[in-house]
Amino acid sequence: MSLDPYQLRLDFPILSQTLPNGKPLVYLDNGATSQKPLSVIQATNDYYAKENANIHRGVYYLSQHATELFERTRIKTSHFFQAQCAKAIIFTRGTTDAINLVAQTYGRVNVSEGDEIVLSVQEHHSNLVPWQMLAQEKKAFLKFIPILEDTTYDLSKLNEIITKRTKIVAISQMSNVTGTIHDLSKIIDRARQVGAKVLVDGAQAACHMPIHLVDMDVDFYAFSAHKMLGPTGVGVLFGKEEILEAMPPWLGGGDMIESVELQSSTYAALPAKLEAGTPNIAGVIGFSHALDYLQKVGMKQIKEHERMLTEYALERFQRIGGLRIFGTDNLDKRGGVISFTMDGIHPHDVGSILDEEGVSIRVGHHCCQPLMKQFQIPGTCRASFYFYNTKEDIDVLIQAIEKVKSIFGRVVRK
């Protein structure tokens, strides 16, 4: 059964507001962060108003109750993503934090001079810079899976890219620039053949489609709560339990120890070993309610709705001349993201004029500067959809683009 975005929008107070310029908000920057339903906002507020206490340490009611809510979220996250077990869910500050954790723990121990780390050319800086830092420290080599013209991975030379020297393959499941959804099975199979570990950046994919981590057979999977209705400052790292057990801690401090002496310490069992210090308790509890909301709406229904919006938007875009649209034409391999440029018009100018019409999109390099250099452009305009967006939102976007073209005197019709 299809979802009703008009009914669901009522749960998001920000979507009904009028901007200071008198225009209704049309929010199309979901690739950067999603909006939050009332249930998530209320749960976060309730923690501070009624349940505020630190977790794992107190014997009093508030602390025990907060601990129960926090750990219940871990179990819920494990079930939602069909992970190996709850202990395999590590709470972080976000996707960036999760990837850095793997690079600085598993990577530092297992990558040596002359080894290889394989990425793709369209990785977000969060899944590029940490590996650059590790490679420089260890004198390892970075290798890159190229992309085809339609922005899918070019796997024609995969066996030459992933070799017996490869220790880690770190790749995105869905591009934050083009919305391209990648079939990772061949990459994972090749990594298994040479004994390399696979980390998947799921920041864009986890919020838009069903994810079955056990079936994917990845070693690490990272994503952020704020892109899937949750609060900012919360991320998740899934790791296979046996790998996480063997990894050393990244941060030292409270709550990650078993015993501390003046000269040495022993560390707590998973997941505490990798969660030093007081976490974002309110954010994790809010994320629990975000998962409840997504479960109610249905991830399959979300994916189908976004496919419908993307198809409708692409059809509308193709009526306008003077645009360059990035990404595959295959809707089975494309999420709810449309990245485009307008002939002779800088993306920042496009974004500013769209903002005057109440339309919020993202412009720039989208933390993918190497990909922009391959495209030979400074940046793109990116409209990204979520389940609460409607065809009317896209109509307003199209009208705003028409205004941009009329202002710059470049209205071209096909």
Side-chain angles (χ1 to χ4, degrees):
M1 185 174 67
S2 61
L3 58 83
D4 182 354
Y6 303 98
Q7 184 64 37
L8 295 172
R9 287 172 69 89
L10 300 177
D11 295 330
F12 294 80
I14 197 171
L15 297 179
S16 62
Q17 71 169 302
T18 300
L19 297 173
N21 64 3
K23 298 287 186 178
L25 172 65
V26 176
Y27 185 78
L28 298 175
D29 192 23
N30 295 284
T33 194
S34 68
Q35 298 301 339
K36 322 305 176 191
L38 278 168
S39 59
V40 171
I41 297 168
Q42 189 62 53
T44 306
N45 289 341
D46 283 349
Y47 167 76
Y48 286 119
K50 304 174 184 178
E51 300 156 345
N52 183 43
N54 214 327
I55 59 172
H56 298 149
R57 301 168 191 176
V59 297
Y60 55 93
Y61 168 77
L62 282 180
S63 177
Q64 291 183 343
H65 183 56
T67 299
E68 179 184 357
L69 294 175
F70 186 91
E71 292 301 331
R72 192 183 298 166
T73 308
R74 193 189 309 277
I75 295 170
K76 188 178 295 183
T77 304
S78 175
H79 291 163
F80 189 91
F81 289 96
Q82 299 192 30
Q84 186 179 17
C85 62
K87 288 194 296 182
I89 299 297
I90 308 299
F91 287 120
T92 67
R93 293 177 299 169
T95 307
T96 302
D97 196 49
I99 295 172
N100 275 273
L101 190 161
V102 176
Q104 294 301 314
T105 54
Y106 182 86
R108 273 186 168 174
V109 171
N110 292 282
V111 174
S112 303
E113 183 174 351
D115 286 340
E116 300 168 351
I117 301 167
V118 173
L119 314 170
S120 84
V121 299
Q122 61 178 352
E123 295 307 318
H124 189 283
H125 296 166
S126 294
N127 197 34
L128 173 59
V129 178
W131 304 113
Q132 290 175 341
M133 296 168 67
L134 179 65
Q136 290 166 5
E137 176 185 337
K138 295 293 185 176
K139 297 181 179 180
F141 297 100
L142 298 179
K143 298 173 72 175
F144 297 90
I145 299 171
I147 58 172
L148 298 169
E149 188 174 347
D150 69 352
T151 69
T152 58
Y153 289 143
D154 180 356
L155 305 181
S156 61
K157 297 183 179 179
L158 189 62
N159 289 358
E160 299 174 25
I161 297 171
I162 300 177
T163 72
K164 292 182 179 179
R165 297 296 299 175
T166 303
K167 297 298 182 182
I168 297 171
V169 179
I171 48 175
S172 58
Q173 188 176 8
M174 174 177 163
S175 169
N176 71 301
V177 175
T178 65
T180 302
I181 300 170
H182 301 287
D183 180 359
L184 305 180
S185 57
K186 290 183 180 179
I187 297 174
I188 294 170
D189 288 346
R190 177 57 184 167
R192 294 284 171 258
Q193 291 173 10
V194 301
K197 302 303 182 190
V198 178
L199 177 145
V200 172
D201 176 355
Q204 295 296 324
C207 40
H208 297 295
M209 65 190 73
I211 302 294
H212 301 160
L213 289 174
V214 171
D215 291 344
M216 286 183 68
D217 190 32
V218 295
D219 300 294
F220 303 101
Y221 192 92
F223 60 93
S224 298
H226 74 93
K227 295 183 190 295
M228 48 192 310
L229 310 186
T232 57
V234 175
V236 172
L237 172 67
F238 159 81
K240 288 185 176 178
E241 185 180 358
E242 61 273 17
I243 300 175
L244 295 177
E245 291 280 10
M247 284 164 43
W250 180 26
L251 300 176
D255 219 30
M256 49 75 66
I257 52 86
E258 179 181 61
S259 176
V260 176
E261 303 293 339
L262 288 177
Q263 298 293 336
S264 63
S265 299
T266 57
Y267 306 123
L270 290 175
K273 179 180 74 170
L274 299 173
E275 294 181 352
T278 299
N280 184 351
I281 303 169
V284 170
I285 293 172
F287 182 46
S288 175
H289 289 260
L291 292 174
D292 289 340
Y293 195 99
L294 291 171
Q295 189 77 44
K296 179 183 69 174
V297 176
M299 297 307 295
K300 289 183 179 179
Q301 286 74 18
I302 290 173
K303 184 177 181 181
E304 290 170 0
H305 180 73
E306 291 176 11
R307 178 191 170 105
M308 179 275 294
L309 288 178
T310 304
E311 183 175 22
Y312 178 74
L314 287 172
E315 191 273 332
R316 293 295 312 272
F317 268 83
Q318 288 164 2
R319 300 180 194 174
I320 305 173
L323 297 185
R324 180 184 176 188
I325 300 174
F326 299 85
T328 177
D329 293 331
N330 186 344
L331 288 174
D332 292 332
K333 297 181 179 180
R334 185 177 194 133
V337 175
I338 297 179
S339 216
F340 65 96
T341 55
M342 303 183 68
D343 292 349
I345 308 174
H346 196 283
H348 288 176
D349 292 327
V350 177
S352 296
I353 296 173
L354 264 58
D355 180 54
E356 293 175 359
E357 300 302 305
V359 179
S360 300
I361 66 166
R362 181 58 58 98
V363 298
H365 56 66
H366 314 298
C367 294
C368 288
Q369 287 181 313
L371 183 62
M372 296 298 112
K373 289 179 181 177
Q374 179 164 326
F375 290 155
Q376 298 182 335
I377 56 174
T380 73
C381 309
R382 185 190 70 186
S384 49
F385 315 132
Y386 212 9
F387 60 84
Y388 42 63
N389 288 122
T390 65
K391 287 184 176 181
E392 285 79 4
D393 290 336
I394 294 168
D395 292 339
V396 176
L397 169 65
I398 296 299
Q399 291 167 11
I401 291 173
E402 294 280 13
K403 180 178 179 180
V404 175
K405 300 195 74 172
S406 66
I407 289 174
F408 282 85
R410 294 184 176 90
V411 177
V412 180
R413 285 290 184 184
K414 286 187 176 180

